[in-house]
Amino acid sequence: MTASNQQVVIIDTGCANVSSVRFAIERLGYAVTVSKDPDVVLAADKLFLPGVGTASEAMKNLEERDLINLVKQVDKPLLGICLGMQLLGELSEEQGQSGTEQVNCLGLCGAPVKKMQTGELPLPHMGWNTVTAEQDHPLFKDIPAGSYFYFVHSYAMPVFDKPEAGRTIASCEYGQPFTAAVQSGNYYGVQFHPERSSKAGSQLIKNFLEM
């Protein structure tokens, strides 16, 4: 499907600065709509779920905007970015400043999101790091092994592989291994920021749009 006849939608979660993701997509020649309208979202060919802030705040925003069930109804490829990827998981330990309980997330892939155990290394995990991708996965097509991507996070999914509940398609090491990219059916997620990851990140967004 070419750029000209593909409907690309960034889901308007109300808590994400979508401009950098939008510009990264537009640079590849695609028109982009930012929307939370169910008709627009469900008619899209490709969707992006960006996220910034905390999981508790983001899930609250999704609930207030009636987006939880809507995201679960999507049957086209959807890419969660950073916190957007974490929201695809079962639950998150990230409560923000005051919380002590875990946050229920969308439950679209079968892994929890936990605070990273990094030993002597500082949190957040911030800056450039390499990922090890599943061989021949279309999301990482034409991206050289050892490519660097840009990360900013303190919570992560463990590396996992569950029939019917998704799997890690790329891992990264920071203190210990964690999931850098995930797939569960038509839902994909990347822990890094492809829109800030230079040439490799642009190639990944292009791959997703061409899948």
Side-chain angles (χ1 to χ4, degrees):
M1 195 177 288
T2 63
S4 59
N5 63 3
Q6 193 162 195
Q7 294 187 49
V8 180
V9 172
I10 298 173
I11 297 174
D12 186 4
T13 60
C15 64
N17 176 8
V18 301
S19 58
S20 56
V21 177
R22 181 180 197 148
F23 294 147
I25 298 165
E26 288 176 342
R27 276 197 299 271
L28 293 166
Y30 290 79
V32 190
T33 304
V34 180
S35 181
K36 59 183 176 66
D37 182 310
D39 292 335
V40 175
V41 169
L42 294 177
D45 298 301
K46 297 282 165 41
L47 299 110
F48 290 81
L49 182 68
V52 293
T54 64
S56 50
E57 173 196 9
M59 287 304 296
K60 186 163 165 272
N61 275 23
L62 290 181
E63 190 173 2
E64 287 171 354
R65 290 173 169 244
D66 293 324
L67 286 171
I68 291 176
N69 285 331
L70 182 60
V71 172
K72 290 180 179 181
Q73 288 173 51
V74 167
D75 60 1
K76 300 287 174 49
L78 178 149
L79 181 67
I81 294 174
C82 196
L83 177 61
M85 169 184 140
Q86 296 182 5
L87 297 180
L88 300 176
E90 295 174 328
L91 49 86
S92 174
E93 293 182 350
E94 186 178 22
Q95 277 284 313
Q97 297 304 309
S98 56
T100 53
E101 296 178 7
Q102 294 179 325
V103 185
N104 287 322
C105 295
L106 294 167
L108 293 163
C109 65
V113 175
K114 299 189 172 189
K115 189 160 189 180
M116 298 174 77
Q117 303 301 314
T118 59
E120 301 290 307
L121 297 170
L123 279 178
H125 170 217
M126 185 168 171
W128 297 87
N129 207 338
T130 57
V131 308
T132 303
E134 182 180 290
Q135 195 169 2
D136 298 328
H137 195 283
L139 196 61
F140 289 88
K141 181 187 167 199
D142 296 332
I143 296 174
S147 293
Y148 281 83
F149 293 88
Y150 187 80
F151 290 85
V152 185
H153 63 118
S154 299
Y155 294 78
M157 281 185 192
V159 174
F160 76 106
D161 185 350
K162 293 184 178 177
E164 309 300 321
R167 70 187 192 278
T168 299
I169 57 172
S171 61
C172 182
E173 187 92 26
Y174 188 73
Q176 59 183 28
F178 66 89
T179 293
V182 67
Q183 180 184 359
S184 180
N186 60 300
Y187 295 94
Y188 300 80
V190 289
Q191 182 59 66
F192 48 82
H193 285 274
E195 77 282 7
R196 297 191 206 168
S197 295
S198 193
K199 198 171 169 184
S202 180
Q203 182 66 47
L204 184 133
I205 293 172
K206 181 173 184 281
N207 290 342
F208 176 72
L209 290 166
E210 291 178 353
M211 278 164 60

